[in-house]
Amino acid sequence: MEAPPPRLEASVNRFETNLRIPGPTSLPSAVREAGARQMINHRGPEFAGMQERVVGGLREFFGTANDIVLLTCAGTGGLEAAIVNTLSPGDRVLAVSIGAFGDRFAAIASTYGAEVTRLDVPWGKAAEPDALADALRAGGPWQAVLLTHNETSTGVMNPIADLAGVVRELAPDALILVDGVSGVGAVPFRQDAWGLDVVVSGSQKSWMAAPGMAFVSVSERAWQAGATARMPRYYLDLAKHRESQASGQTPWTPAVAVVFQLDVAIGLMRDEGSEAIFARHAACAAATRAGLDALGFRLFPDPAHASTTVTCVHLPDDLDWKAFNAQLKRRKLVVAGGQGKLSGKVFRIGHLGTVTLDEILGCLGAIEEGLLALGRQVTPGAGVAAGQRAGLESLGLIAGVEARG
Ligand code: PLP
């Protein structure tokens, strides 16, 4: 049987905003409707079945056979859980930061009394395995290394497998704790094969659900570390969650409506299939980068490590962010500005979750129109054409078109 074509259906709806921030993402209608369902007993069999299906689906995308705990909290709560459940005050932690979220992970570890050494990578760059190796050799013994999979503030995706390989080689006893909040689910990810101990993600990112839940995947080594870890914890005590989950429950009342949504969303992801999901994300990223480039925007990150879920570009000095963003908003396009020290210097476009190539082309079209409205020299259609070509090439649908001229 012939394989189905990659998903290209239009989903631009003039009554809705084209929400192109890197999470929360817009939701498929079936997921939205699921969130409006009547409540159920969260200590009954229906909830237990849902939780099991959701965790089973997450495992596939995390590439793990681990327990994955569903926490009712933001992604930051998941990061905090990763720290407080595995470490003790005074533990030596190497925090590899490539941006604002790496800084946050490091700050959580310091807040709870870890002795944190930072490896600060210039914003826009990925962490380099050799630099990590030098940092590991320069200190230690390390109880944990903190890594960011996808740095949403700079639009950089770290070579996480390579980085983890270096830690495994030089600090085999260190736990590898990974912020996977904005990447897992959108790109191939193999927690077990890469030897990652704790990986965290959040419902509002690649998972096509509303904010409100964090997922924490915990290796056997990390559970063992947890048995003696002394950082204080109660609400985020993962052992309590694991125990409840074994009987189909959560220790505290969960965000039931988000679990309804996740159940539907993960069903949609399974129907689409991981390969198609990854190809769709890669195509949307390629289209976004090519389209913005054709419109004269310079990519902020090192192109070799540009993220598949969020594109970050420089804001030209002579383009006023407020005026530009107002033009985009008039066209129902919502993008994200810069975070922290990048505020006013870059803007970001999210392409994760239910995103389609058509939504990206619509977004590029709105940007072109906004630029034209501000009197800038732009060839109408230039960004859209470049974006479409790159997206279709990425999907393998127009190989050779350029060669034919
Ligand atoms: N880590 C990364 C990489 C993120 O992108 C985010 C949110 O954007 C977080 C952590 C924090 O997640 P939350 O805002 O849900 O706490």
Side-chain angles (χ1 to χ4, degrees), residues 74-76 79 101 104 148 150 152 179 181-182 204-205:
T76 304
L79 298 181
F101 290 104
R104 185 180 299 183
T148 312
N150 184 70
T152 320
D179 175 346
V181 171
S182 64
Q204 79 276 26
K205 302 289 185 181

Side-chain angles (χ1 to χ4, degrees), residues 93-113:
V93 170
L94 180 63
V96 182
S97 177
I98 65 168
F101 290 104
D103 287 354
R104 185 180 299 183
F105 210 4
I108 295 169
S110 311
T111 300
Y112 282 95

Side-chain angles (χ1 to χ4, degrees), residues 159-177:
I160 205 84
D162 296 345
L163 298 173
V166 169
V167 181
R168 281 282 153 268
E169 190 191 329
L170 298 177
D173 295 333
L175 294 171
I176 304 179
L177 312 183

Side-chain angles (χ1 to χ4, degrees), residues 282 284-294 297 299 303 306-308 310-311 313 351 364:
C284 289
T288 308
R289 289 193 293 263
L292 290 173
D293 181 65
F297 292 104
L299 195 64
S307 164
T308 309
V310 55
T311 293
V313 288
H351 30 79
L364 292 168

Side-chain angles (χ1 to χ4, degrees), residues 39-53:
M39 282 298 115
I40 57 169
N41 176 9
H42 63 297
R43 309 229 173 267
E46 193 182 349
F47 184 85
M50 274 197 311
Q51 178 159 248
E52 202 178 318
R53 283 192 297 278

Side-chain angles (χ1 to χ4, degrees), residues 104-172:
R104 185 180 299 183
F105 210 4
I108 295 169
S110 311
T111 300
Y112 282 95
E115 199 185 297
V116 176
T117 301
R118 296 173 58 108
L119 172 57
D120 283 310
V121 175
W123 286 28
K125 302 263 183 243
E128 284 185 8
D130 287 349
L132 176 56
D134 290 346
L136 285 166
R137 286 195 194 99
W142 305 104
Q143 267 76 36
V145 176
L146 312 186
L147 296 174
T148 312
H149 171 224
N150 184 70
E151 178 51 74
T152 320
S153 64
T154 59
V156 170
M157 203 166 256
N158 256 330
I160 205 84
D162 296 345
L163 298 173
V166 169
V167 181
R168 281 282 153 268
E169 190 191 329
L170 298 177

